[in-house]
Amino acid sequence: MGFMGNVLRSLIGQCCKPKADSDEAGYHGVTAATVGVSALAQDLYNFEITSQVPEGLSQHVVSSKKAQINWKLSEAWRETKPPPKTPEEASRLIVLTLKRHQQADVEGFLTFYGLPLPHILVELTSVTPPSRPEGLKFELYTLPVDRKAVGDGDGMTVYVSTMDPRESAIVPTEVQVAAFERSEARTQRKYDVADKLRKKINDLGYRVIVLQNQEVLARKYRIRLRGIDAPECQMDYGQRAKEALADIVQDKCLRVLVFDEDQYGRCIADVYCDGIFLQESMLKKGLAWHYKAYDQRPELDKSTPTWMLMGRDVRPTSLRRCVSICWCCLISLRDQFYHFSTVDPVPSRDNIIC
């Protein structure tokens, strides 16, 4: 098949080698995690034009080239909306499309593109949120989520339209006036005035978002997933956890069940996306821990795999506690020995390593 598919496949062996949690995007947004998906998409596109299977595929599968042509993978890929973006999504589509074919063909095809094999795919169950769970304070239905709004593997920023019945009743008058004046300023092409009003709206916790060529006034909410704890971005697998959560919620509208607010002003919530319970998904992927100190739900505990985070059980809460204790110890030492030195012996907090 095409040159670009061959080039991308040649990168699979290099990009899929274990590295120190590198997820930086390369050409055309292709990363180590998505190079196999990109190669497959390019090969399927070329197949629709040339009807030729990629070179080297026959060395990995048992079916003949004539049989491979009848697998109808390009049709399945084209009909999937939106098309697969992650290796897991691509693998699921291949497994479903080739479910009546030999196992050797399925596994050989996935191996050829460096995609997850069937036995290591995470089984996700479709969950219907309870209508009114105990302790629920309020419920949100968000606008489509920008993947850049995902801060880490257990938190994100979402926006809810002020046209929502609950939101429309609590929009501050100051925000309503600023939004109206901004619209008038843009109509009169007073863009400097409009920009100042936009900043004022943002500072008040709202934002004007463009959706389908229309401006929508929305309220900002910071969300913390209830009952789980994911690695910080600077920790091992932290970036991977962040990307996994972003892959699920990108461009999706979420149902958010809010139970509490933490000391940072974040909503502690259960979040659902197209029937997927986000906390369950992150636990099953091994990219988060069950936060048992604050959440004793057995269904979350059952979702935690034994191979948690590739065998590393150094939890973010433990690391934060360690840093806090070390800092307190240093402060205590400073207070005790301060009389004996004219130089403060305590190093910068930013330089403390536990």
Side-chain angles (χ1 to χ4, degrees), residues 17-44:
K17 290 179 182 178
K19 294 184 179 180
D21 212 14
S22 174
D23 288 295
E24 293 185 1
Y27 295 111
H28 306 296
V30 176
T31 68
T34 61
V35 62
V37 181
S38 301
L40 175 57
Q42 186 65 40
D43 282 347
L44 292 175

Side-chain angles (χ1 to χ4, degrees), residues 47-64:
F47 176 80
E48 292 198 332
I49 299 174
T50 65
S51 298
Q52 294 182 359
V53 298
E55 298 177 8
L57 178 59
S58 295
Q59 299 175 13
H60 291 75
V61 299
V62 296
S63 294
S64 64

Side-chain angles (χ1 to χ4, degrees), residues 22 74 129 134:
S22 174
S74 61
E134 183 179 354

Side-chain angles (χ1 to χ4, degrees), residues 110-334:
L110 295 175
T111 301
F112 182 63
Y113 287 99
L115 300 174
L117 296 177
H119 68 277
I120 63 174
L121 284 175
V122 176
E123 180 182 356
L124 296 179
T125 55
S126 181
V127 179
T128 301
S131 57
R132 188 74 187 180
E134 183 179 354
L136 179 68
K137 288 190 174 182
F138 57 90
E139 189 171 344
L140 304 172
Y141 290 88
T142 77
L143 295 171
V145 177
D146 185 343
R147 72 177 295 118
K148 295 179 181 178
V150 176
D152 50 33
D154 54 32
M156 71 189 84
T157 298
V158 301
Y159 291 89
V160 179
S161 171
T162 54
M163 297 300 290
D164 178 273
R166 177 182 179 277
E167 292 298 331
S168 62
I170 57 177
V171 181
T173 302
E174 191 175 3
V175 174
Q176 296 180 20
V177 171
F180 175 78
E181 291 178 347
R182 176 184 176 276
S183 179
E184 290 293 305
R186 287 179 60 83
T187 300
Q188 300 170 14
R189 297 186 178 182
K190 297 179 180 179
Y191 297 118
D192 55 339
V193 175
D195 287 342
K196 291 179 181 179
L197 290 167
R198 176 184 59 80
K199 185 179 184 305
K200 181 179 181 180
I201 292 171
N202 292 349
D203 292 342
L204 291 170
Y206 287 77
R207 184 175 174 181
V208 177
I209 298 174
V210 178
L211 288 176
Q212 299 178 347
N213 297 322
Q214 290 188 344
E215 291 189 341
V216 177
L217 179 63
R219 183 180 178 182
K220 174 182 176 181
Y221 286 91
R222 293 193 300 139
I223 305 299
R224 174 67 161 82
L225 298 184
R226 183 171 77 122
I228 69 170
D229 197 19
E232 303 293 340
C233 287
Q234 67 272 20
M235 294 175 64
D236 287 345
Y237 302 97
Q239 190 66 25
R240 188 176 301 180
K242 173 184 174 180
E243 293 299 325
L245 182 59
D247 287 340
I248 299 174
V249 304
Q250 180 179 3
D251 299 329
K252 300 291 181 62
C253 297
L254 310 178
R255 182 182 179 188
V256 182
L257 307 181
V258 179
F259 293 84
D260 203 353
E261 182 177 299
D262 67 9
Q263 65 268 38
Y264 306 107
R266 298 176 299 183
C267 295
I268 307 300
D270 287 345
V271 183
Y272 297 84
C273 175
D274 290 346
I276 297 175
F277 181 27
L278 294 193
Q279 285 98 306
E280 178 192 31
S281 176
M282 295 300 291
L283 288 171
K284 285 187 172 182
K285 290 174 185 287
L287 294 172
W289 293 273
H290 181 197
Y291 214 158
K292 295 181 182 179
Y294 297 94
D295 192 300
Q296 289 79 41
R297 283 179 288 178
E299 59 268 30
L300 292 186
D301 200 35
K302 291 178 181 178
S303 298
T304 306
T306 56
W307 44 268
M308 175 64 63
L309 284 165
M310 312 297 286
R312 298 170 183 244
D313 198 7
V314 183
R315 307 191 179 205
T317 46
S318 301
L319 182 64
R320 298 189 198 104
R321 191 179 304 114
C322 176
V323 172
S324 177
I325 291 173
C326 287
W327 179 250
C328 291
C329 290
L330 286 169
I331 292 296
S332 177
L333 286 172
R334 182 192 64 184

